Amino acid sequence: MKKLTCWILVASFGATAYSQSRGPSLAVLYEGGLLIIGVGSAPIEGETFVVQNGHITSIGPAIGRQGAVTIPAGATRVDLTGKTVMPAMINVHVHIGYEGYTSWGAGNHTPQNVLDHLQREAFYGTAATVSVGTSPTDAAIQFQRDQQDGKFPPASRFLFMPGMAPPNGGPDAVLRAATQALDAVYEVSTAQEARAAVQLMAANNIENVKIWVDDRRGTYPKMTPEVYNAIIDEAHRHHMMVHAHATTLPDQEAVVRAGIDVLVHMVQNEKLDDEYLTLLREKKPYWATVIGLGDPTAVCDHDPFFEQALPAKVIATIRATTAQRPLAPNCWPPSPNASAREAILAYNFPRMIASGARIVLGTDTGIHPGHTFGSGEHVELARWVQLGLTPMQAIVAATKRPAELMGLQDMGTLAVGKRADFLVLDANPLDNIRNTRQISSVYLDGTKFDRDALLTRWKKADASQ
């Protein structure tokens, strides 16, 4: 794990404008579709919008109606009749770089593999991806600079934040070995060390930090209140946001009371009490649920939406694994505790929302191929709706609100001045949230993302194995 040392790099991971622009300079007029702009308002039938230089330059009524947008000279027209358009998603909690599908570990963490994961995110409709706590700082800074400078082909926008934990604590057993090998997590034992680490991050314009609080059922060192209070206080002094991994009711209540900004995970083993719900009404933290990581993998259901990005050997291995394997994909029959877990989720989820927790999209993908990049977002949305959100609320929580959390002022909604990051769907997700899986096309910075080329490349790589 990373010890507290001084590194001198200048970076920015939040509101700074994304300097890369791949969008065509000539205007493109999109017309005829149903627009979900991402702010929670009713969808608009037949609205038109113009994209130029990677941004939405106008949006308004269809051509021929009063107040219609002006068609720029030489504009290309794209007919979206029968389609639904929504903003591309933003995932605020992923572990990028270690998954190799046929292997897993620190040896996979290369710029090429990071790019591959970001392209998988884009393939499934995610325009920005936040690697949380497990990306080596120096390498992450360099990758972000290179992506901003246009040195990589189109992919989801890469963001990251450092992680902090007690020595030999922090990530789960799968991630810990890899992050230790790459010295990726900042180890802090005292309040003084914690403050010094946050000060170094702030000096380099890092705007978010993750902390691991829990002790993994007594198997890990636990972060002490003295340390996490110091992290939170010092981070807030420097206008930084603190994301806290906490899975039990006492730990969640403790970190929310201490003032964390983003709560990661939901309590799945006991019902929330009134004291905690009252605290949530006061604090109103952002909340990344990451429910899908604990669910059976969709690969076991023979769903081509999830299988298309996975090697055939990986799919076969998952389906052939009928013994329960913690933190690994398998097709083991439902756990005896599954019904109890569902009952707790059904009780806790709506109460978190009603108490003011501001839900944002986070999937915790990158741990194993059964719950992986891009497709995991669609699992999370479906789970939210199953547990009580409306499809529109789920879409806002996957687009506008994560952009707000991460300070991405040019992303998250379809509006004039925003980057033209959007999905074109073959069916309306407001009718059924699973229609987010009916992807016709993905646009990043105003350019159509070549999903077919990726599928061809994946199939070719699969055939060569």
Side-chain angles (χ1 to χ4, degrees):
M1 298 260 181
K2 182 180 283 290
K3 308 302 181 188
L4 183 54
T5 57
C6 183
W7 36 269
I8 307 299
L9 290 165
V10 178
S12 180
F13 307 100
T16 300
Y18 189 32
S19 62
Q20 182 181 359
S21 179
R22 295 185 291 269
S25 57
L26 294 178
V28 180
L29 174 73
Y30 297 88
E31 55 187 338
L34 179 72
L35 263 61
I36 301 171
I37 64 174
V39 299
S41 58
I44 309 169
E45 184 71 51
E47 198 85 338
T48 63
F49 61 101
V50 176
V51 172
Q52 191 166 13
N53 293 321
H55 290 75
I56 297 172
T57 57
S58 62
I59 187 167
I63 306 303
R65 288 162 52 191
Q66 185 174 3
V69 299
T70 300
I71 305 176
T76 301
R77 298 175 73 151
V78 176
D79 185 3
L80 298 178
T81 301
K83 308 292 187 182
T84 299
V85 180
M86 62 170 277
M89 296 179 287
I90 296 170
N91 189 338
V92 303
H93 196 99
V94 175
H95 299 290
I96 290 283
Y98 300 98
E99 177 62 71
Y101 295 97
T102 56
S103 64
W104 200 98
N108 292 331
H109 205 294
T110 64
Q112 293 74 25
N113 202 41
V114 171
L115 176 63
D116 175 76
H117 294 169
L118 295 170
Q119 289 181 318
R120 292 170 188 272
E121 288 280 338
F123 177 86
Y124 282 106
T126 298
T129 304
V130 186
S131 186
V132 179
T134 52
S135 288
T137 298
D138 294 358
I141 289 172
Q142 188 60 55
F143 186 97
Q144 191 174 57
R145 285 174 170 167
D146 289 344
Q147 188 181 50
Q148 290 174 348
D149 290 342
K151 295 181 180 179
F152 296 124
S156 184
R157 177 178 177 179
F158 176 71
L159 301 154
F160 92 101
M161 68 187 72
M164 299 175 72
N168 296 312
D172 60 44
V174 173
L175 272 171
R176 188 167 67 169
T179 55
Q180 284 180 328
L182 295 182
D183 201 26
V185 177
Y186 289 80
E187 294 183 335
V188 291
S189 300
T190 67
Q192 182 178 9
E193 290 177 351
R195 288 184 183 276
V198 172
Q199 289 164 9
L200 282 173
M201 295 173 195
N204 289 277
N205 297 324
I206 292 176
E207 298 174 356
N208 293 266
V209 61
K210 177 183 179 178
I211 60 174
W212 281 273
V213 175
D214 75 30
D215 60 3
R216 308 278 177 182
R217 300 180 181 178
T219 62
Y220 276 26
K222 191 178 182 69
M223 182 174 280
T224 65
E226 176 190 25
V227 171
Y228 66 68
N229 275 288
I231 293 170
I232 294 166
D233 179 68
E234 194 65 34
H236 288 174
R237 287 175 184 267
H238 295 281
H239 309 289
M240 294 171 61
M241 305 276 275
V242 181
H243 302 232
H245 170 108
T247 61
T248 68
L249 178 55
D251 283 345
Q252 285 203 0
E253 184 171 350
V255 296
V256 171
R257 193 176 300 280
I260 57 96
D261 304 285
V262 186
L263 186 65
V264 183
H265 293 286
M266 65 180 295
V267 175
Q268 301 185 24
N269 61 350
E270 62 179 309
K271 292 182 176 180
L272 305 181
D273 58 29
D274 290 341
E275 182 179 1
Y276 183 41
L277 296 175
T278 299
L279 181 64
L280 288 173
R281 292 186 188 98
E282 175 191 348
K283 299 291 189 177
K284 294 180 172 56
Y286 289 97
W287 177 40
T289 53
V290 297
I291 299 168
L293 183 61
D295 290 343
T297 173
V299 172
C300 299
D301 297 329
H302 297 257
D303 189 332
F305 178 78
F306 298 93
E307 295 175 11
Q308 60 188 326
L310 294 175
K313 289 182 180 179
V314 172
I315 296 170
T317 298
I318 293 173
R319 290 182 182 154
T321 305
T322 55
Q324 192 169 16
R325 298 169 57 198
L327 298 175
N330 59 80
C331 290
W332 176 257
S335 164
N337 296 324
S339 60
R341 175 181 181 255
E342 286 302 311
I344 294 295
L345 291 176
Y347 183 90
N348 288 350
F349 182 88
R351 284 165 176 78
M352 290 284 288
I353 299 297
S355 298
R358 292 177 286 173
I359 191 169
V360 290
L361 180 61
T363 58
D364 220 358
T365 41
I367 306 299
H368 64 68
H371 180 63
T372 193
F373 304 108
S375 61
E377 283 86 324
H378 299 269
V379 172
E380 204 73 10
L381 266 64
R383 284 300 250 147
W384 290 346
V385 173
Q386 179 190 15
L387 292 168
L389 286 192
T390 67
M392 182 65 84
Q393 288 171 327
I395 288 170
V396 171
T399 57
K400 177 181 181 292
R401 196 171 299 121
E404 169 190 287
L405 165 62
M406 297 306 298
L408 302 174
Q409 298 176 6
D410 58 350
M411 301 181 74
T413 62
L414 301 180
V416 173
K418 300 284 188 177
R419 301 201 74 84
D421 300 323
F422 58 93
L423 308 185
V424 178
L425 306 173
D426 289 329
N428 185 353
L430 301 181
D431 295 335
N432 183 336
I433 193 62
R434 289 176 179 265
N435 287 339
T436 61
R437 307 176 190 189
Q438 302 298 316
I439 300 173
S440 174
S441 52
V442 174
Y443 286 81
L444 300 179
D445 300 337
T447 298
K448 187 175 181 179
F449 186 72
D450 197 341
R451 300 176 78 240
D452 290 339
L454 269 186
L455 278 176
T456 299
R457 192 181 80 195
W458 292 336
K459 290 177 181 178
K460 183 177 180 181
D462 191 12
S464 67
Q465 292 176 358

